[in-house]
């Protein structure tokens, strides 16, 4: 929480304003592609059997990353409790 209180209010407002601008202006539909598909023409698009497989792989990688972060946070907290 010290990091959150170290950022001044104007800084938080700037972060929120940029995130709002990015969501409403920068990341709009691109050339009729579905929402969120902002890669442009140079990115490779996949057809359905491969696309579903790649989306599942990405979902599993995200879940694994969340578990890894949770493990790191628990480890940090346990070390802080037992080293006092």
């Amino acid at each position: 929480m010290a990091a959150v209180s170290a950022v001044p209010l104007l800084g938080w407002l700037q972060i929120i304003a940029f995130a709002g601008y990015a969501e409403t202006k920068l990341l709009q539909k691109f050339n009729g592609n579905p929402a969120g598909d902002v890669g442009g023409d140079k990115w490779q698009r996949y057809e359905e059997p491969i696309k579903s497989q790649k989306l599942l792989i990405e979902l599993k990688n995200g879940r694994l990353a969340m578990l890894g972060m949770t493990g790191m946070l628990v480890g940090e907290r346990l070390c802080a409790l037992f080293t006092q």
Side-chain angles (χ1 to χ4, degrees):
M1 291 303 291
V4 174
S5 61
V7 178
L9 178 63
L10 191 58
W12 284 113
L13 292 175
Q14 183 180 14
I15 292 169
I16 292 169
F18 176 75
Y21 175 74
E23 285 287 329
T24 58
K25 301 293 181 194
L26 294 178
L27 299 177
Q28 292 297 309
K29 288 187 177 184
F30 190 74
N31 292 337
N33 292 336
D37 188 2
V38 293
D41 296 331
K42 297 185 181 190
W43 284 22
Q44 183 177 2
R45 305 286 195 266
Y46 296 102
E47 295 302 321
E48 189 48 44
I50 298 173
K51 182 179 179 181
S52 294
Q53 179 186 11
K54 289 192 176 287
L55 288 173
L56 181 62
I57 290 170
E58 184 69 24
L59 183 64
K60 287 182 178 181
N61 285 339
R63 288 177 178 164
L64 187 60
M66 287 187 278
L67 283 174
M69 282 302 299
T70 302
M72 289 178 61
L73 292 171
V74 168
E76 286 287 326
R77 186 65 183 150
L78 288 175
C79 286
L81 286 175
F82 292 118
T83 57
Q84 292 180 1

